[in-house]
Amino acid sequence: MSNYLSKNVTVILILFCFVFINCAKKTEQKSEDISTNKPINKTATLEFKIKAKLGEGAIWNQKTEELYWVDIEGKTLNIYNPKTKTNKTLNTPTRIGTVVPYTKDEAVVALEDGIYSINLNSNALKLISDVEAKVTTNRFNDGKCDPNGNLWVGSMHYPQTLPNAKLYKVDPQGNATAMVDSVTISNGIVWTKDTKKMYYIDTPTGTIKSYDYDIKTSTITNEKNAVNVPESLGYPDGMTIDQDNLLWVGLWNGNGIAQFDPITGKLLQKIDVPAHNVTSCAFGGDNLDILYITTSTEDMTEEEQKKYPLAGSIFKVKPGAKGVPAYFFNETVR
């Protein structure tokens, strides 16, 4: 009888250990899944319906609580107010590559032949810098201000095939200095919250470069590849940064926004956008927790046009992150 009980106890113990080990493995696997931080893809929703040809340059003006953006091929500067759902449009004489906030009544824009301030009431333009005005094979594209209020703006090669463009730093006095050479399509540019790093995109390279940024001199050094964007995701376009220094990148030909960790180079998540060519994004709203997204109607097949009828519109999503306030022209954070 005692042997019988002993054998049964042994069997029970063996079964218990088997169940315990399997449960532990499942728990361990679950912990591993959580640790990889693979969130379910989110989908952006329509915020403002419009047929922009080439929506770009999204930036949130935290003082007026408005989204500034441009339609490059439509030759318009746009100011969208999410509270009233209205979009103010200002026509520009040539293609407009980007916009940054300046004063209460002015913004700074990059046109084909130079950098200008534009009066938001009268449309009047005032030249700040005519750098590259004589380079007829290039035009200006994306740009943003650094923590010292300088505009970093890049040019791009019209045919988009040769690295004949540059990234410039334009100070409030209009002095333009080439900071990065041999650029083809200058795009997204951001600074970390502590101002020690700058990230920059030259779209055809499929990479996001990192630089050490010196706030005392407004200069960059130590260029490195931070992120290599696989072609299967699309081509990296406009970019913004959140409070954790993670990058959010519009994907041309990629139907979405990608979030990257520039330290590890890893893709953290992708937000689906109902548009084929996603061009730029900016955190906005009262808490800087809404990601506003610009898109384009260009470079789409007939099938893609049917699939994405809202292309060209402004979209939004709450991705679970918060942005940092935008830097204004001629305004330092120090």
Side-chain angles (χ1 to χ4, degrees):
M1 187 73 173
S2 60
N3 286 336
Y4 176 79
L5 286 173
S6 178
K7 288 179 180 179
N8 276 310
V9 169
T10 302
V11 170
I12 291 170
L13 285 172
I14 291 171
L15 286 172
F16 176 80
C17 290
F18 178 80
V19 171
F20 179 81
I21 290 170
N22 274 280
C23 287
K25 284 183 177 179
K26 288 181 180 179
T27 302
E28 183 180 356
Q29 181 63 47
K30 187 176 180 182
S31 297
E32 287 176 358
D33 291 342
I34 292 171
S35 69
T36 56
N37 192 26
K38 296 179 180 177
I40 298 172
N41 281 14
K42 296 182 175 68
T43 300
T45 58
L46 179 67
E47 170 63 17
F48 183 74
K49 187 177 180 180
I50 188 172
K51 280 287 182 182
K53 293 180 180 179
L54 183 50
E56 261 284 10
I59 186 169
W60 181 257
N61 185 330
Q62 60 270 13
K63 294 181 181 179
T64 63
E65 297 186 333
E66 294 170 316
L67 180 74
Y68 286 20
W69 64 283
V70 304
D71 183 351
I72 296 176
E73 293 297 333
K75 300 176 184 177
T76 60
L77 164 61
N78 297 269
I79 301 176
Y80 175 68
N81 187 320
K83 293 182 179 178
T84 61
K85 304 292 183 183
T86 55
N87 187 68
K88 179 180 178 180
T89 300
L90 294 89
N91 295 315
T92 55
T94 62
R95 292 179 181 89
I96 173 173
T98 196
V99 59
V100 291
Y102 185 14
T103 67
K104 178 183 177 183
D105 299 312
E106 294 173 292
V108 169
V109 294
L111 301 185
E112 288 182 34
D113 61 342
I115 312 304
Y116 294 81
S117 65
I118 182 170
N119 188 293
L120 302 178
N121 302 309
S122 68
N123 266 37
L125 293 169
K126 183 178 179 181
L127 183 67
I128 295 174
S129 172
D130 63 353
V131 61
E132 281 209 8
K134 296 180 180 180
V135 185
T136 57
T137 55
N138 289 354
R139 71 164 173 83
F140 277 106
N141 202 47
D142 206 359
K144 292 293 182 288
C145 286
D146 70 11
N148 288 324
N150 304 298
L151 174 64
W152 290 60
V153 60
S155 54
M156 62 170 279
H157 185 231
Y158 267 122
Q160 304 180 17
T161 55
L162 296 175
N164 291 346
K166 298 178 181 179
L167 174 67
Y168 295 92
K169 177 182 66 178
V170 181
D171 68 23
Q173 290 72 46
N175 302 305
T177 307
M179 306 304 290
V180 179
D181 207 344
S182 302
V183 173
T184 303
I185 304 177
S186 191
N187 254 311
I189 183 168
V190 295
W191 287 261
T192 54
K193 191 176 179 181
D194 63 7
T195 74
K196 292 182 179 180
K197 288 282 185 182
M198 186 188 91
Y199 297 103
Y200 171 64
I201 293 171
D202 178 5
T203 295
T205 67
T207 61
I208 303 174
K209 302 282 189 182
S210 74
Y211 300 84
D212 293 332
Y213 175 77
D214 186 342
I215 195 169
K216 293 180 180 179
T217 60
S218 299
T219 57
I220 52 174
T221 55
N222 197 24
E223 178 186 289
K224 294 180 180 178
N225 280 2
V227 179
N228 293 309
V229 182
E231 195 171 327
S232 58
L233 269 182
Y235 297 95
D237 203 320
M239 175 171 60
T240 193
I241 193 167
D242 65 27
Q243 290 185 358
D244 296 319
N245 294 326
L246 300 176
L247 306 178
W248 301 78
V249 183
L251 299 172
W252 183 269
N253 199 24
N255 319 89
I257 296 285
Q259 182 197 32
F260 293 104
D261 183 339
I263 304 302
T264 64
K266 291 184 178 180
L267 172 70
L268 300 180
Q269 65 173 307
K270 181 184 176 186
I271 295 173
D272 295 323
V273 180
H276 183 56
N277 293 313
V278 181
T279 54
S280 72
C281 55
F283 283 98
D286 294 340
N287 299 310
L288 295 180
D289 61 348
I290 301 172
L291 193 67
Y292 291 100
I293 302 163
T294 59
T295 60
S296 171
T297 54
E298 291 200 321
D299 191 27
M300 294 172 65
T301 64
E302 187 175 338
E303 182 182 347
E304 288 164 349
Q305 290 173 10
K306 291 178 181 178
K307 186 176 181 180
Y308 302 108
L310 296 175
S313 298
I314 304 296
F315 297 88
K316 72 175 181 181
V317 68
K318 278 196 171 185
K322 290 185 178 182
V324 293
Y327 301 125
F328 287 25
F329 188 66
N330 196 28
E331 184 175 289
T332 178
V333 298
R334 286 188 293 168

